[in-house]
Amino acid sequence: MIRITLRGGVGLLLVSLLGGCFLVTALRPGARAPFHPADPVLRAAPLYFYPARDTTRPPRAVVFFLGNDIGFWAAHQRLAELLSEDGYAVVGFDVKKLLDGLPNGPTRESLYLARVDTLITRARGALRASDRPLVIAGHSIGGEIALWTAAHLRAPQFEPGLVGVVAMSPGQRGHLRTTASDLRGEEPHERGSFAVDSQVGLLAPRVRVALVRGELDKFRYADSGLVAAGARLFPVPKQHHSLKGITSAGPVVRAALQYATGDTAVALR
């Protein structure tokens, strides 16, 4: 949810119109050429691949990175590039496109889980990193759904590699859909929505949860519940909900990933 940086109906309309042709489907201007997997299932999916830049060694971890309710936008792409340079293999996921294509009804959740299970498993294989630690990350609504996904996806080939979740700018409640109310910054309460902090308690004890939050994000009221549930807070100074200031947000996300993967280089605070 780009809940803070978009102001006014004109801005919302402009982003909605541009989302499919610039912010979402196109790489940002100046972005490096993406990796194209041979797997036709992956090529047809709304995924962006950023293999670890250093190909002489295995990636530190695979980061399956869920975008927000606009898509996998320019700030996400810049962050993915930064993380790939730091040794992570990143798979950007335009989760909005998947959610918009799912039918409403009792099968919606199971269809989402089956699809994401397939994408994660195949993506790790395409990156030759099936044996590397897995972190599910996401921004805004993507952060909320990342926690829900990690808590509910139980496929045997998936769960053994899951070590952590990095939730950036989540709200207090989430749902497996994107709506106009998300853009307005409203917390969902309809049937099927969920409390985000309750997902932390459903995770296996070994799974670490890192919470990345801009100190100026109005949704920081959600942090007390998440921290009480077991998440560790990584604040980003002088940043709002979008976290698009990569100069300040990037190092904090790096530290959050180190924590999520159990890297002992991160000192306990």
Side-chain angles (χ1 to χ4, degrees), residues 52-253:
R53 184 64 64 90
D54 184 355
T55 59
T56 64
R57 62 183 65 185
R60 299 168 68 173
V62 175
V63 181
F64 196 75
F65 183 179
L66 282 66
N68 54 30
D69 53 353
I70 289 177
F72 195 71
W73 71 316
H76 301 152
Q77 295 171 25
R78 290 195 298 269
L79 180 57
E81 291 173 0
L82 179 69
L83 296 177
S84 74
E85 292 169 2
D86 206 30
Y88 296 97
V90 183
V91 182
F93 178 34
D94 185 348
V95 68
K96 172 180 169 56
K97 285 192 173 181
L98 175 60
L99 294 177
D100 288 351
L102 291 176
N104 293 321
T107 64
R108 184 178 179 86
E109 291 183 0
S110 60
L111 289 173
Y112 167 82
L113 290 172
R115 182 63 171 159
V116 171
D117 175 28
T118 296
L119 294 179
I120 291 178
T121 301
R122 287 176 176 259
R124 293 171 80 189
L127 292 167
R128 300 181 181 179
S130 296
D131 61 344
R132 303 306 297 153
L134 172 66
V135 175
I136 302 180
H139 172 241
S140 193
I141 192 172
E144 298 157 10
I145 297 175
L147 277 166
W148 188 92
T149 301
H152 290 82
L153 200 52
R154 302 295 187 186
Q157 70 270 27
F158 165 82
E159 194 176 37
L162 179 64
V163 297
V165 180
V166 176
M168 297 176 279
S169 306
Q172 197 168 47
R173 296 190 60 81
H175 51 185
L176 293 183
R177 62 188 72 249
T178 59
T179 65
S181 63
D182 296 322
L183 286 171
R184 293 193 297 267
E186 300 171 5
E187 299 274 19
H189 289 276
E190 79 277 8
R191 184 171 182 173
S193 63
F194 54 87
V196 177
D197 56 9
S198 68
Q199 307 309 302
V200 179
L202 299 176
L203 295 168
R206 68 176 181 277
V207 179
R208 296 184 175 198
V209 177
L211 169 62
V212 179
R213 176 75 70 189
E215 290 182 341
L216 302 179
D217 185 354
K218 74 175 184 181
F219 291 91
R220 61 185 181 276
Y221 63 78
D223 294 351
S224 58
L226 285 161
V227 171
R232 180 175 167 189
L233 178 62
F234 290 80
V236 186
K238 301 180 181 179
Q239 285 289 297
H240 291 273
H241 184 76
S242 70
L243 294 176
K244 64 181 181 180
I246 300 302
T247 301
S248 55
V252 177
V253 175

